[in-house]
Amino acid sequence: MFANSRTVASAQTGPHDKLAERVARHRDATFRKPLAAYSAAAFDAAIAAWRDAGGAPLIIDAGCGVGESTLRLATQFPDHFVIGIDQSESRIVRGKDWWGDVWPENFVWVRADLVDFWRQLYDAGIRPVRHYILYPNPWPKIGQLARRWHAHAVFPTVVALGGVLECRSNWGVYIDEFALAVTWLSGVQPHVEVWAAPAGVEPVAEPMTPFERKYLASGHGLHRCVVTLPPR
């Protein structure tokens, strides 16, 4: 039953016709949503852990879920520090008996509202060198555009943080929209590719997340957008 994930179904077959208007609106407006009550403490704890570890180049694993991607990034980049962020405490604290490798020390998980955490990073002048958004909920219905990260009011802040920004999805439209929004906000053209497919493309050697593993096993094409952005 593992390889049973259905492909994304949507009446939308290309970038949303309202995307440009929404991105421009968010670019030109000030985002004034109040921080969640727990956000300040969560941010302070994560940044304290990073600084206590020596303030190494910072990697953000946004929406880390059960934390597998955080562990893999910390292992892949031992001279960096990884902050894995998820809004679900149950996912973060869930048992990690599936991790059979050496436990890295250069990371921390934190339960936080991503919208708040991104804004707090920016306001504190902290800029990650790498930034991952791996398999976010695609919200594929045409009326759900505002729920996609690249159409959210916080996305100009995400782009302004700079660094190597990478987004992965099993829905190509999401990645195409993500790339367009990045270009409109930064003037930088991202690299977009189908980097694992049912046939014709060599799959990733080691999936980064449980979703990636399940999508590969289910025969989905995987898409990604990678761009190097100047911090602002």
Side-chain angles (χ1 to χ4, degrees):
M1 294 296 290
F2 172 70
N4 63 353
S5 180
R6 284 185 278 182
T7 56
V8 177
S10 177
Q12 188 182 326
T13 58
H16 200 290
D17 60 4
K18 300 294 184 184
L19 179 63
E21 174 188 334
R22 183 167 291 274
V23 171
R25 185 192 318 159
H26 294 325
R27 179 197 61 209
D28 298 335
T30 301
F31 189 22
R32 301 187 184 278
K33 174 183 174 291
L35 296 178
Y38 64 91
S39 289
F43 179 80
D44 289 346
I47 298 306
W50 168 54
R51 288 179 171 149
D52 287 347
L58 184 61
I59 297 175
I60 297 298
D61 183 16
C64 66
V66 298
E68 180 178 351
S69 49
T70 307
L71 292 171
R72 296 203 179 280
L73 287 167
T75 301
Q76 181 181 354
F77 297 99
D79 297 329
H80 294 60
F81 190 85
V82 186
I83 299 178
I85 308 150
D86 202 89
Q87 195 167 16
S88 170
E89 186 172 11
S90 66
R91 284 196 289 263
I92 291 174
V93 303
R94 194 175 301 166
K96 314 297 181 190
D97 54 350
W98 39 261
W99 182 256
D101 296 331
V102 175
W103 197 264
E105 298 181 355
N106 56 322
F107 79 95
V108 67
W109 287 306
V110 61
R111 178 197 172 234
D113 184 325
L114 264 175
V115 172
D116 293 343
F117 203 95
W118 279 324
R119 290 187 294 159
Q120 288 171 290
L121 278 174
Y122 185 81
D123 291 344
I126 298 171
R127 302 294 183 261
V129 296
R130 289 183 171 272
H131 194 163
Y132 292 83
I133 304 175
L134 302 177
Y135 302 96
N137 189 328
W139 298 106
K141 293 182 179 178
I142 291 175
Q144 294 176 328
L145 173 64
R147 294 176 176 266
R148 303 172 198 165
W149 280 130
H150 46 269
H152 193 284
V154 79
F155 199 65
T157 301
V158 174
V159 172
L161 286 172
V164 177
L165 175 62
E166 179 168 344
C167 181
R168 300 183 189 180
S169 178
N170 66 329
W171 189 34
V173 170
Y174 193 99
I175 293 301
D176 290 342
E177 288 187 348
F178 192 97
L180 283 171
V182 167
T183 300
W184 294 333
L185 291 168
S186 69
V188 180
Q189 182 71 47
H191 174 69
V192 173
E193 64 178 342
V194 178
W195 70 300
V201 178
E202 185 70 20
V204 289
E206 188 65 56
M208 287 275 285
T209 78
F211 280 120
E212 188 163 82
R213 185 174 295 106
K214 186 172 184 177
Y215 295 153
L216 282 169
S218 301
H220 294 198
L222 302 185
H223 308 257
R224 70 174 170 178
C225 168
V226 184
V227 61
T228 301
L229 297 167
R232 298 204 298 269

